[in-house]
Amino acid sequence: DAMVIQNPRYQVTQFGKPVTLSCSQTLNHNVMYWYQQKSSQAPKLLFHYYDKDFNNEADTPDNFQSRRPNTSFCFLDIRSPGLGDAAMYLCATSAHPVPPGYTFGSGTRLTVV
Amino acid sequence: AQRVTQPEKLLSVFKGAPVELKCNYSYSGSPELFWYVQYSRQRLQLLLRHISRESIKGFTADLNKGETSFHLKKPFAQEEDSAMYYCALMLRGQGGSEKLVFGKGTKLTVNP
């Protein structure tokens, strides 16, 4: 099935130790998004790639970076995770300007110890 | 400010009862609104969007610009409707960029 795949499903990292979360898609969608979702809160957009163009949200901390080496893959790098970065990280894709609607991955739950 | 408000964190109904999940939005332009659903242990998935005026799994949602609302309704709830429901607003920027802003979600429980 064409889909959005996030690895790993669960990630435990040490405080301050860089960590990378990955997302891949077989949908050939041109837009890829990273959302952060903390418990009982709305998913919050961190940044997105429109093709190769990176769009950062104004309130996304510098600690969060992203890479998109090709259409299929997108990575979320957290340079120095803090306890407050523990959350579910959701990757989503869309095919702009085809009718809107995101396809989400299953998410990666990050724990910082 | 552009925002989506879902006033109910939890909603519990009995099977066969009508259900309405509330969503209000704040947006200066012409809104594009969506409902997403997340069943237990599954990924977030699109349920319906207002531009399609569709009914999915018996759910409908009507955009009311006067009340700035996009409430999700179903006349007869089923146990399998138990899930987390998110209302979302599409924001379109210059250059064709777009992004979804989500409400905090409502957890619907349908009791037998």
Side-chain angles (χ1 to χ4, degrees):
Chain A
D1 277 349
M3 57 181 10
V4 179
I5 301 167
Q6 290 188 245
N7 285 306
R9 191 73 185 265
Y10 301 93
Q11 175 74 58
V12 180
T13 191
Q14 290 181 332
F15 182 94
K17 184 175 180 181
V19 64
T20 295
L21 309 182
S22 72
C23 177
S24 64
Q25 55 131 339
T26 59
L27 299 161
N28 205 33
H29 284 174
N30 56 343
V31 193
M32 294 186 78
Y33 306 82
W34 279 105
Y35 282 83
Q36 179 193 61
Q37 186 177 24
K38 296 186 178 180
S39 181
S40 301
Q41 295 186 24
K44 177 182 176 297
L45 184 64
L46 295 173
F47 27 58
H48 73 280
Y49 273 94
Y50 188 108
D51 293 319
K52 295 182 179 179
D53 294 331
F54 178 69
N55 298 271
N56 198 30
E57 292 300 297
D59 57 353
T60 297
D62 292 340
N63 198 24
F64 291 84
Q65 304 286 320
S66 186
R67 296 170 283 135
R68 190 180 186 186
N70 52 52
T71 301
S72 302
F73 286 88
C74 195
F75 300 98
L76 169 61
D77 300 309
I78 308 176
R79 292 192 296 188
S80 181
L83 298 178
D85 297 327
M88 177 71 87
Y89 290 88
L90 301 172
C91 175
T93 70
S94 72
H96 180 82
V98 178
Y102 289 12
T103 302
F104 280 87
S106 298
T108 294
R109 183 167 295 283
L110 179 69
T111 300
V112 182
V113 298
Chain B
Q2 299 132 341
R3 72 168 70 92
V4 176
T5 303
Q6 293 180 251
E8 302 144 327
K9 193 171 180 178
L10 302 170
L11 183 62
S12 183
V13 300
F14 285 103
K15 177 182 174 181
V19 63
E20 180 180 66
L21 293 95
K22 291 185 168 51
C23 172
N24 290 92
Y25 66 90
S26 173
Y27 187 54
S28 56
S30 183
E32 294 179 63
L33 288 151
F34 303 80
W35 277 99
Y36 280 78
V37 61
Q38 188 168 30
Y39 301 102
S40 180
R41 300 178 188 274
Q42 295 187 28
R43 64 188 69 201
L44 202 57
Q45 57 187 288
L46 178 65
L47 180 61
L48 54 79
R49 49 194 178 214
H50 92 269
I51 58 172
S52 301
R53 301 185 66 81
E54 56 204 343
S55 173
I56 304 294
K57 299 184 179 183
F59 284 97
T60 60
D62 291 319
L63 176 62
N64 186 323
K65 290 186 178 181
E67 296 183 357
T68 59
S69 69
F70 187 56
H71 302 329
L72 183 68
K73 300 177 183 179
K74 185 169 182 176
F76 307 103
Q78 303 299 314
E79 289 179 68
E80 55 265 30
D81 296 328
S82 296
M84 195 75 181
Y85 291 82
Y86 293 93
C87 183
L89 170 68
M90 179 68 77
L91 304 181
R92 294 196 183 275
Q94 294 180 343
S97 68
E98 59 182 37
K99 59 185 180 183
L100 278 177
V101 174
F102 287 88
K104 290 188 176 183
T106 298
K107 184 175 182 179
L108 173 66
T109 301
V110 181
N111 300 298

